[in-house]
């Protein structure tokens, strides 16, 4: 099998799995690298085997799709056409004239380097949650909506007995339904979007009846568990001393501002809050791939503008698992064909492209509906911590803008240290941009994650486009 062209796929979520299976089935040797201990990504996250979950499928609405992908991957691994490298934390992809080298840190300690050489690379690095702060959001008991879901899927545990699920986006529905099914009293689902906004998107929604039915199913579950839904509302503040004790929510007016006098306090010990997703583009950025705003730019075959590099899934634009699967299949099939694995069947290819187009239209419709309130920054007080790593407050950021003339995220970072911590601004950058009144732009970094100096010394690796800075 070593004489076959070699494709490295980074990320074992829906897009990465679909790409791996498609490429391995058409004459390409594939190495699938992922930081987790098992395939599936966040969407198909599984409980540890030691937990002996009796019905793990109860936490997933696409279990059969997961089983099909898992079994196909296992088949290719046994046949030697694919290998799956777990606990591999990729920090850099190096370009050479005739190949690419994927550099990763091995294991939970992330100290042992490993390199994988390949003829081509496919980026399926997924996305991460957008976090918008508010007073009290750093209290224990406040977590992201995706974090609450990951805890439930991965550990079969919840963070408390009474929860409020809040923010905006389609993720809130399965999170609230999952918590309720697990025995948590969901006191309220607080959604800032207005129901009437869906009426203007009926055409795109009607083109995906399966997704509409999925949402209706979650809504029915919430009704059965008597979960109160507060549409066009937002969280104003989280309260507590040592941990979360209650939240205050309020109604929004037509301009996205809190309507005075509508505040209500809801006792709870858990707040799962989310405001959408952002694409992981660090590796694409270090490779020099073109970005369209925050998304990796790709052509009809999911190719980036860097030769030998494909991208699929949330890294090219947030669109959900179905779109990630479609893009992953197209990317894997395209990579296989470009590496000599044979051209796709014209009818199959046309059907795949058509499905992707419809799913992108559906994702765009949802994105236009599920947007944070226009004036969400007004809820950030001057003493609200915005950057948790460096403990930078909203007041410090406002001062940097008003008094020191900062007009972009980078300048605020230099003046206040917001974004200089371990996460390198992934958590606070959207809030900093909002307070600064500027567009959120990708932060250029030499590597996708922190790397020990000893590893750099052993690897003797440097970006091909310039010196480290």
């Amino acid at each position: 099998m070593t004489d076959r062209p070699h494709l490295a796929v980074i990320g074992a979520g829906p897009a990465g799995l679909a790409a791996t299976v498609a490429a391995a089935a058409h004459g390409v040797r594939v190495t699938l690298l992922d930081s987790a201990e098992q395939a599936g990504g966040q969407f198909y996250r599984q409980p540890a085997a030691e937990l002996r979950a009796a019905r793990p499928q109860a936490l997933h609405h696409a279990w059969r799709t997961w089983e099909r992908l898992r079994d196909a991957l296992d088949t290719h691994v046994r046949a030697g056409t694919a290998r799956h490298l777990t606990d591999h934390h990729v920090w850099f992809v190096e370009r050479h004239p005739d190949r690419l080298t994927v550099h990763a840190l091995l294991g939970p300690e992330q100290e042992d380097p490993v390199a994988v050489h390949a003829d081509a690379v496919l980026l399926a690095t997924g996305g991460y949650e957008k976090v918008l702060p508010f007073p009290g959001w750093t209290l224990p008991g406040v977590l992201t909506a995706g974090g609450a879901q990951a805890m439930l899927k991965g550990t079969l545990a919840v963070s408390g007995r009474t929860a409020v699920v809040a923010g905006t986006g389609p993720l809130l529905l399965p999170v609230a339904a999952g918590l309720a099914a697990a025995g948590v009293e969901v006191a309220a689902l607080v959604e800032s979007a207005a129901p009437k906004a869906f009426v203007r998107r009926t055409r795109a929604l009607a083109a995906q009846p399966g997704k509409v039915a999925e949402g209706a199913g979650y809504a029915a579950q919430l009704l059965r568990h008597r979960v109160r839904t507060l549409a066009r509302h937002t969280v104003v503040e989280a309260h507590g001393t040592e941990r979360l004790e209650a939240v205050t929510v309020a109604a929004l007016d037509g301009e996205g501002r809190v309507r005075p006098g509508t505040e209500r306090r809801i006792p709870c010990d858990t707040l799962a809050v989310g405001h959408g997703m952002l694409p992981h583009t660090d590796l694409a950025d270090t490779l020099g791939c073109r970005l369209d705003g925050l998304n990796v730019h790709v052509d009809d075959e999911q190719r980036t503008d860097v030769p030998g590099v494909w991208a699929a899934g949330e890294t090219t634009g947030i669109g959900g698992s179905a779109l990630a699967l479609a893009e992953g299949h197209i990317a894997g099939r395209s990579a296989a064909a470009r590496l000599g694995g044979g051209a796709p069947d014209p009818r199959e290819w046309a059907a795949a492209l058509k499905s992707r187009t419809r799913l992108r239209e559906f994702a765009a419709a949802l994105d236009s509906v599920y947007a944070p309130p226009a004036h969400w920054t007004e809820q950030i007080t001057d003493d609200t911590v915005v950057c948790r790593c460096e403990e930078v407050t909203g007041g410090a950021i406002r001062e940097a803008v008003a008094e020191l003339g900062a007009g972009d995220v980078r300048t605020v970072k230099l003046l206040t240290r917001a974004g200089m911590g371990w996460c390198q601004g992934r958590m606070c950058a959207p809030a900093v941009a909002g307070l600064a009144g500027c567009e959120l732009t990708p932060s250029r970094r030499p590597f996708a994650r922190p790397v020990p100096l000893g590893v750099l010394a052993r690897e003797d690796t440097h970006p091909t486009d310039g010196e480290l800075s």
Side-chain angles (χ1 to χ4, degrees):
M1 297 294 182
T2 56
D3 59 337
R4 290 188 174 194
H6 186 199
L7 173 68
V9 177
I10 303 173
L17 286 172
T20 298
V21 170
H26 291 88
V28 174
R29 181 166 50 100
V30 183
T31 296
L32 175 62
L33 302 95
D34 193 64
S35 59
E37 295 181 357
Q38 54 184 336
Q42 296 297 328
F43 188 76
Y44 294 123
R45 179 186 287 270
Q46 306 293 308
E50 293 79 5
L51 294 175
R52 299 179 181 179
R55 295 180 61 250
Q57 64 271 27
L59 300 173
H60 298 267
H61 72 272
W63 186 257
R64 290 184 179 179
T65 301
W66 154 247
E67 289 183 319
R68 177 178 58 80
L69 291 169
R70 178 198 61 194
D71 294 346
L73 175 62
D74 290 344
T75 297
H76 286 296
V77 169
R78 289 194 299 269
T81 53
R83 60 175 176 161
H84 178 205
L85 304 181
T86 60
D87 272 332
H88 280 62
H89 305 261
V90 178
W91 55 274
F92 186 59
V93 179
E94 187 177 8
R95 294 164 57 187
H96 306 279
D98 59 343
R99 68 178 184 183
L100 297 107
T101 301
V102 179
H103 295 273
L105 300 173
L106 182 61
E109 299 300 325
Q110 301 182 36
E111 293 181 352
D112 298 323
V114 63
V116 175
H117 305 294
D119 300 299
V121 167
L122 196 156
L123 305 175
T125 48
Y128 61 101
E129 284 190 270
K130 180 192 296 184
V131 178
L132 302 180
F134 50 86
W137 75 290
T138 58
L139 281 169
V142 180
L143 66 167
T144 65
Q149 188 181 59
M151 182 185 298
L152 183 58
K153 287 183 176 180
T155 67
L156 307 180
V158 294
S159 66
R161 296 182 178 181
T162 305
V164 170
V165 179
T168 189
L171 180 61
L172 301 188
L173 283 172
V175 170
L179 291 175
V184 176
E185 178 189 351
V186 180
L189 171 61
V190 183
E191 169 61 68
S192 63
K196 65 180 181 181
F198 290 95
V199 177
R200 297 191 294 271
R201 305 291 184 271
T202 53
R203 182 176 179 180
L205 299 179
Q208 295 294 326
K211 301 298 292 183
V212 174
E214 178 188 327
Y218 287 131
Q221 292 181 49
L222 297 180
L223 284 175
R224 287 198 301 271
H225 289 284
R226 299 181 179 180
V227 175
R228 175 176 47 173
T229 299
L230 299 175
R232 202 57 182 160
H233 279 65
T234 190
V235 170
V236 174
E237 185 175 358
H239 310 278
T241 50
E242 296 183 356
R243 65 165 289 115
L244 180 69
E245 298 172 3
V247 298
T248 293
V249 303
L252 296 166
D253 63 19
E255 295 182 352
R257 286 190 169 92
V258 168
R259 290 168 51 194
T262 64
E263 297 85 355
R264 67 177 77 180
R265 189 182 177 107
I266 304 176
C268 61
D269 55 17
T270 297
L271 171 61
V273 59
H275 293 92
M277 303 279 292
L278 295 170
H280 264 305
T281 60
D282 291 347
L283 285 174
D285 201 27
T286 61
L287 273 165
C289 297
R290 170 185 163 189
L291 300 182
D292 289 337
L294 299 176
N295 306 325
V296 178
H297 172 81
V298 292
D299 64 10
D300 287 344
E301 296 184 28
Q302 299 294 141
R303 293 180 299 173
T304 72
D305 61 339
V306 175
V309 180
W310 280 255
E314 309 285 43
T315 191
T316 67
I318 304 302
S321 63
L323 178 56
L325 288 169
E327 290 188 354
H329 175 81
I330 291 171
R333 194 66 185 88
S334 169
R338 296 286 176 173
L339 292 173
D345 176 84
R347 291 185 179 180
E348 175 193 348
W349 187 252
L353 296 181
K354 184 177 181 180
S355 174
R356 182 186 60 186
T357 297
R358 289 179 175 177
L359 287 166
R360 283 179 174 174
E361 291 174 350
F362 180 79
L366 290 187
D367 188 57
S368 66
V369 171
Y370 291 120
H375 299 278
W376 60 268
T377 57
E378 295 177 4
Q379 304 310 311
I380 300 178
T381 61
D382 283 348
D383 58 355
T384 299
V385 173
V386 174
C387 173
R388 300 181 71 164
C389 296
E390 297 294 328
E391 298 184 349
V392 181
T393 64
I397 295 172
R398 289 189 173 106
E399 181 180 358
V401 174
E403 304 296 331
L404 302 178
D408 56 71
V409 174
R410 177 176 173 79
T411 305
V412 172
K413 178 179 180 178
L414 293 173
L415 292 173
T416 68
R417 295 190 60 83
M420 286 191 180
W422 177 259
C423 82
Q424 287 293 287
R426 289 176 180 85
M427 292 285 287
C428 66
V432 172
L435 287 170
C438 65
E439 291 291 326
L440 177 63
T441 56
S443 298
R444 298 194 64 88
R445 306 180 182 92
F447 306 129
R449 63 175 61 244
V451 185
L453 290 176
V455 170
L456 293 178
R458 291 196 296 271
E459 291 283 346
D460 191 25
T461 302
H462 59 276
T464 57
D465 293 334
E467 298 179 356
L468 290 176
S469 60

